[in-house]
Amino acid sequence: MSVPLPPEPIPGARLLFSLDPAVSHLNHGSFGAVPITVQRAQQRLRDEMEADPLRFFTQGLVDRITHARRHLAGFLGADPDGTALTVNATTGVAVALQSVGLRPDDEVLTTDHGYGAVDFAIRRECHRTGATHRVLRVPLSATAEEIVQIVRSGLRPGRTRLVVVDQLTSATARLFPVAAIVGVAREHGVSVLVDAAHAPGMLPATVQSIGADFWVGNLHKWGYAPRGTAVLVVAPPWRERVEPLVVSWEQEAGFPGRVEWQATADYTGWLSAPVGLYVLRTLGVDRVRAHNAALAAYGQRVVGDALGVPPADLPDPGGPTVAMRIIPLPAGLATTMDGARALRARIAERLAAQVAVNSWDGRGWLRLCGQVYNSPDEYDRLAVHLPTLLDQR
């Protein structure tokens, strides 16, 4: 089977970013990249803030945050009144977890594809409340139907209080059928929190079409927003019960204001986030999604071929717009998180390439992303030099 052809580049897209041209930035999914126009918009807001801090914070800032939130929620297909801006998806998860009100006999159900920091948050909340955290094993090769069945079989009516599931997993770049999982959980009276850290900007599904009790997503990854821009979307029955992690002067305003307002935080990232969506829309949302997914698929194949991985062993994420792909590393390599971090650092230092390396299910995995600033030759260079680097372990 031949390597798929890479997509045609989007003219001028690389020039929209201030990334170091001497480095291959193949890991957009971790921290994103902020377009220059968005950087400048945020800097103008910072200049305004520093010119007269008292005026900036006390005259109209809440209304400006509300306006930005409504713009972002509209793009995501979410109810603006049920959407709160927050600094990242993990923070949104923490707010949701404490708002559920877990009890000693309750159980939180997750899969083994969950994000590490989210797992830590669940363990802490379970330790604090006496609830139990149970993890379901989901094979990497499982179909959407099989994933739904695994979750259905794992539910324990009367015990399972909350299911936490990824829309697109970080470690394994796997698209999960979250809308179907929400439907199954609802049949049993179980609430669902969807960790959609990678969804905004990449995936076309709207928040309302998923119907989760809680949905969290980052705009600073695939939505070109400044870092520290994310949303927590809450279904109507829960909104009055949502409490912030830190109480502020907006506490009496209710949700979402009580979650958004955190005193003298820097809100300029949120206020300039709509500019990131403007950049995405200008390039063409569907065009960017198709380009990035095709480029990630190309990178997976050329690097996989270089490492001697048969095409049948290269995981398919299961979605036409998924712009992240993983490649299994040779046995015994990066089998722990410390080993994965060390290998990622070696690749960055020796090959001038930023990639993600994860340890999952006892094996090391290389994760590659596709973004409009990437070109096929960056994956080709990695494919040429990576096998030699791995042989030097």
Side-chain angles (χ1 to χ4, degrees), residues 10-207:
I10 297 178
R14 177 64 180 82
L15 300 177
L16 297 174
F17 298 86
S18 55
L19 295 165
D20 184 351
V23 177
S24 295
H25 301 273
L26 307 178
N27 185 23
H28 185 88
S30 283
F31 297 102
V34 184
I36 295 170
T37 53
V38 182
Q39 296 179 40
R40 290 174 176 169
Q42 184 177 18
Q43 188 57 52
R44 287 193 295 271
L45 287 162
R46 283 176 170 157
D47 291 342
E48 177 191 346
M49 176 173 62
E50 297 306 331
D52 192 339
L54 189 65
R55 177 186 178 90
F56 182 86
F57 280 98
T58 62
Q59 296 187 29
L61 180 55
V62 172
D63 290 339
R64 295 170 78 175
I65 292 172
T66 299
H67 178 75
R69 181 215 311 144
R70 290 187 174 280
H71 188 104
L72 300 178
F75 175 79
L76 298 171
D79 178 2
D81 294 329
T83 302
L85 292 168
T86 184
V87 294
N88 54 41
T90 310
T91 301
V93 166
V95 172
L97 285 172
Q98 75 162 13
S99 300
V100 169
L102 295 173
R103 300 181 297 267
D105 290 336
D106 291 335
E107 172 184 87
V108 178
L109 194 64
T110 65
T111 78
D112 57 351
H113 294 250
Y115 188 60
V118 171
D119 284 340
F120 286 146
I122 293 169
R123 292 173 197 167
R124 186 184 72 171
E125 191 65 15
C126 286
H127 178 75
R128 188 181 71 84
T129 62
T132 301
H133 176 205
R134 189 159 57 92
V135 181
L136 298 176
R137 175 176 171 76
V138 177
L140 194 57
S141 59
T143 65
E145 293 76 14
E146 289 169 341
I147 293 173
V148 173
Q149 184 55 43
I150 289 170
V151 174
R152 185 193 301 274
S153 300
L155 294 172
R156 298 197 291 197
R159 284 292 311 271
T160 307
R161 180 81 181 283
L162 180 69
V163 173
V164 182
V165 64
D166 297 68
Q167 190 165 347
L168 178 64
T169 66
S170 177
T172 57
R174 183 68 167 84
L175 191 67
F176 270 46
V178 287
I181 290 172
V182 169
V184 167
R186 182 162 291 129
E187 293 173 4
H188 295 83
V190 177
S191 302
V192 179
L193 164 58
V194 173
D195 180 355
H198 291 276
M202 186 205 295
L203 303 179
T206 64
V207 176

